[in-house]
Amino acid sequence: MNTSIQSRGKVVLFYPPYDGPPLGAPLSLLALAGTLREARFEVVLIDAAIQSRYLDRIAEECKSALCIGISVLTGPMIRGAIVAAQHVKRHAPHVTVIFGGWHPTLCPESTLREPYVDIVVRGQGEVTIVELAAALAAKHPLDLIAGISWKRDGRLIQNFDRRVQPIDTFAQPAFDLTDFDSYERVTGKRELAYATSVGCPYACNYCTDMVVYKRRFNAYDAGHVVAELTGLVQRYRITHVALLDSNFPVDLRRAIAITQGIVDSGVKFSWTFQASTDFICRMTQDEVQLLADSGVNYMGFGTESTSKTVLKMMNKRHQRVDEMYETARKASLAGIRVNFNLILGYPGETEADRLETFRTMSDIGNQFRNVRFSPNIFTPYPGIPIWPQLRELGVSEPQTLEDWENMPLGANLLPWLKSRELSRLNRMLEYFLLLNQARRRSSGDSFLKRLTTSLICNPIRWRLKASLFFFPWELWLSRFSEDIVKRRSLVTGAELPVESANVC
Ligand code: B12
Ligand code: SF4
């Protein structure tokens, strides 16, 4: 064998099971695999979404591995990460367990305190994982590796931060490691999760994007995106691309050049992205039509509220109500579906603010049939800038990794949403969703559904106007004819389990 291409060691990468419908291969781990392979490490990627006996596979692969890297988001995904890490400690104790991703980045100390976690990687992982794997392979000290937290003799050590690096300096994510057929079997779709950028210039108080990416939009140029994306679509017969960018059209010229490039390539696929409404409003109607012509069939917006006071408290002044209407209108003319995410129960929000949001959003839904809504009760995720205020308001912050896993993704954490107010809010919410769902009735629906619609729409409108929600007969009646869709993914618009909350 030619020693110049001999592997420097094996790195196992694991994506634990998560709530909700699977969304293609995890780009976080494909990105790490790209730079690791470039540095001549062998990579094995295990995604619980498609691998049924993943613990057995982890144990098997770890026998000959240097380390295992586990990607973790806050919430139920932590459970799978813990189980896998403990499994590795039992079956392959020589293997270093590395946790990375958003949760460990935001809570490095509480993550590292667990005996089954050896190292935490904070922030972007492409370069850090290579430096780590190289140090582990050569048994070198870890003191000079930026962006990690680790343990020496049981003591937690926090190395200095790694600066955010331009994404176009990294090797291409290892898309070829994706078993598209397996994902298709599980999801029924031939889908690619892809990012053209990271970071968002805004600083909403409930979002951690700025904590990690420091408000710097960091993107591939349009030519790179068009060539890579259309190439991948053709090579793997992809029919849908879900862009994972936090705010895709921040650089409008780039966004339009990408769109034009996709049209010019003649490669056909549908695609979706998340954005803030101000950027769509800055596009001309022709440009929004170009999005549709290139295959965009859905856009997700974190509109959150229509109360100016609440938007101000969220530090979200860029999200204007008139621009929500304008975005809905432009997308409607172009035939693009839109999802408006709403956050309810934000600290400082009054019932009047809530009602204003329900009424205005109902009006938008009434005028534009392409708009759907995904309302969530505010969830205090780790590291969000508003935490000092939350602590003052009596929200108790989970202290351990397991506490964060068990964090209810809902209202029970919020002292200002006590039981009566919470049930009133939930009832308003159901009315709001029912009204918007009922409006969408078409002649193809069952007689029972159409009958329910004709009976309930006006009374619900009256309730939202009068703010009276007692004796909810419309909700009881509707239960005979349908399930109300409560939550949708902001990334794809797909229905989500009821327990999930907030962004994304
Ligand atoms: C895609 C996505 C998902 C997908 C991921 C699955 C998939 N197959 O891709 C799914 C559907 C699982 C998901 C779910 C949720 N998500 Co989400 N999601 C995203 C999104 C849009 C993109 C993530 C991504 O892939 N980026 C591209 C890659 C390249 O970047 P990355 O993931 O950050 O990975 C880099 C680093 O983090 C690091 N890294 C990551 N993993 C690892 C592992 C190791 C070992 C190392 C060394 C480094 C490392 O290196 C990578 C390369 O630089 C982000 C927003 C965003 N724009 O980033 C939100 C985001 C990550 N999600 C978020 C939230 C809130 C959620 C939910 C809690 C929402 C909900 N209530 O349902 C759930 C949690 C699910 C659960 N616990 O069960 C928050 C983060 C919250 C948090 N504290 O974890 C984000 C940041 C959105 C936001 N702005 O608030 N999400
Ligand atoms: S919520 Fe959306 S607009 Fe606000 S900072 Fe996060 S990604 Fe940007």
Side-chain angles (χ1 to χ4, degrees):
M1 190 198 274
N2 181 348
T3 48
S4 67
I5 55 160
Q6 206 173 14
S7 159
R8 296 164 74 189
K10 189 207 274 186
V11 178
V12 178
L13 297 175
F14 174 58
Y15 208 74
Y18 48 88
D19 264 3
L23 178 77
L27 188 57
S28 50
L29 297 186
L30 295 181
L32 304 185
T35 50
L36 278 167
R37 288 198 318 195
E38 186 187 50
R40 291 189 294 109
F41 287 95
E42 181 195 347
V43 179
V44 172
L45 197 152
I46 303 171
D47 180 0
I50 54 163
Q51 181 94 45
S52 52
R53 300 175 62 86
Y54 55 84
L55 286 179
D56 292 348
R57 173 96 197 278
I58 288 174
E60 187 54 35
E61 294 293 352
C62 277
K63 278 183 196 157
S64 54
L66 282 173
C67 58
I68 179 167
I70 305 182
S71 190
V72 193
L73 295 177
T74 304
M77 210 169 151
I78 292 176
R79 170 70 4 222
I82 294 176
V83 170
Q86 288 172 333
H87 196 68
V88 172
K89 288 291 168 202
R90 262 195 309 277
H91 295 276
H94 66 282
V95 166
T96 304
V97 175
I98 305 168
F99 273 33
W102 288 81
H103 187 83
T105 296
L106 299 167
C107 302
E109 275 192 41
S110 56
T111 305
L112 194 58
R113 239 182 271 132
E114 299 300 340
Y116 43 81
V117 182
D118 298 313
I119 300 173
V120 160
V121 169
R122 311 189 306 269
Q124 277 180 317
E126 286 90 340
V127 176
T128 315
I129 193 75
V130 173
E131 291 183 9
L132 253 180
L136 294 172
K139 300 198 171 24
H140 283 165
L142 305 179
D143 306 69
L144 294 179
I145 301 180
I148 66 164
S149 305
W150 54 293
K151 293 170 186 165
R152 181 188 280 138
D153 306 324
R155 214 162 46 85
L156 309 193
I157 300 174
Q158 183 110 327
N159 287 6
F160 44 90
D161 286 345
R162 182 176 293 277
R163 287 180 60 171
V164 177
Q165 239 171 278
I167 54 174
D168 58 9
T169 57
F170 302 138
Q172 186 192 40
F175 293 107
D176 58 293
L177 286 184
T178 307
D179 179 354
F180 287 97
D181 293 339
S182 294
Y183 285 100
E184 191 177 0
R185 272 193 292 280
V186 174
T187 63
K189 285 182 263 176
R190 212 152 172 98
E191 190 171 21
L192 173 75
Y194 183 89
T196 78
S197 68
V198 294
C200 168
Y202 296 127
C204 305
N205 272 334
Y206 57 85
C207 175
T208 40
D209 202 273
M210 68 157 153
V211 181
V212 174
Y213 290 110
K214 321 288 181 217
R215 301 185 67 175
R216 291 212 185 89
F217 183 70
N218 175 349
Y220 295 115
D221 70 42
H224 172 105
V225 173
V226 175
E228 183 168 76
L229 199 51
T230 54
L232 290 166
V233 165
Q234 286 175 305
R235 189 167 325 130
Y236 299 111
R237 294 176 288 109
I238 303 296
T239 55
H240 180 75
V241 176
L243 287 196
L244 306 182
D245 307 41
S246 298
N247 200 341
F248 166 67
V250 166
D251 178 345
L252 271 183
R253 266 217 253 160
R254 187 194 77 111
I256 290 156
I258 290 173
T259 313
Q260 185 67 59
I262 293 173
V263 172
D264 294 345
S265 74
V267 179
K268 301 279 182 236
F269 57 97
S270 60
W271 56 293
T272 55
F273 63 82
Q274 300 178 70
S276 47
T277 50
D278 50 333
F279 292 114
I280 301 302
C281 288
R282 280 184 225 164
M283 288 185 180
T284 63
Q285 186 59 47
D286 284 348
E287 287 166 342
V288 177
Q289 187 57 53
L290 189 68
L291 285 173
D293 295 344
S294 73
V296 173
N297 59 7
Y298 163 87
M299 301 184 287
F301 299 92
T303 46
E304 320 308 8
S305 173
T306 65
S307 151
K308 277 196 189 133
T309 324
V310 175
L311 288 170
K312 197 170 155 198
M313 290 188 299
M314 290 175 169
N315 197 24
K316 216 171 165 64
R317 269 169 275 207
H318 62 274
Q319 198 73 53
R320 287 184 5 213
V321 178
D322 58 333
E323 294 188 334
M324 298 177 196
Y325 278 91
E326 183 62 0
T327 296
R329 189 185 69 79
K330 283 185 164 162
S332 164
L333 284 173
I336 301 175
R337 278 181 302 123
V338 158
N339 188 35
F340 283 174
N341 211 64
L342 309 177
I343 293 180
L344 299 153
Y346 198 74
E349 180 196 64
T350 61
E351 180 158 311
D353 293 318
R354 244 165 255 163
L355 277 164
E356 183 182 331
T357 296
F358 285 136
R359 285 178 198 137
T360 310
M361 286 298 177
S362 297
D363 185 47
I364 294 178
N366 197 22
Q367 291 190 36
F368 307 103
R369 285 173 66 93
N370 59 324
V371 182
R372 285 172 197 239
F373 303 97
S374 183
N376 311 278
I377 307 282
F378 171 64
T379 302
Y381 284 110
I384 55 175
I386 200 189
W387 260 108
Q389 191 186 331
L390 295 178
R391 283 185 209 108
E392 270 176 31
L393 288 167
V395 181
S396 55
E397 194 169 358
Q399 295 300 314
T400 66
L401 185 63
E402 298 198 11
D403 288 349
W404 278 113
E405 175 220 331
N406 297 322
M407 182 188 71
L409 299 178
N412 351 18
L413 268 184
L414 310 178
W416 55 92
L417 262 190
K418 295 286 182 212
S419 50
R420 263 195 74 223
E421 196 174 352
L422 178 61
S423 38
R424 189 169 156 83
L425 166 56
N426 277 328
R427 190 168 290 177
M428 283 183 206
L429 226 157
E430 281 204 49
Y431 271 123
F432 166 73
L433 287 169
L434 180 60
L435 180 63
N436 282 289
Q437 212 162 295
R439 267 201 211 107
R440 257 169 258 281
R441 288 287 125 78
S442 67
S443 50
D445 282 328
S446 70
F447 173 71
L448 184 61
K449 277 194 174 184
R450 279 181 290 130
L451 178 70
T452 320
T453 306
S454 64
L455 286 175
I456 62 176
C457 276
N458 283 333
I460 299 181
R461 272 191 206 105
W462 174 81
R463 280 183 187 275
L464 286 173
K465 211 164 160 194
S467 164
L468 290 172
F469 302 100
F470 60 90
F471 193 70
W473 63 268
E474 305 90 336
L475 295 177
W476 296 330
L477 183 66
S478 72
R479 271 172 208 146
F480 289 111
S481 61
E482 67 194 296
D483 286 328
I484 303 177
V485 176
K486 297 212 166 118
R487 301 228 37 252
R488 289 176 189 280
S489 155
L490 199 55
V491 178
T492 61
E495 287 178 26
L496 288 178
V498 186
E499 316 80 58
S500 309
N502 275 14
V503 266
C504 159

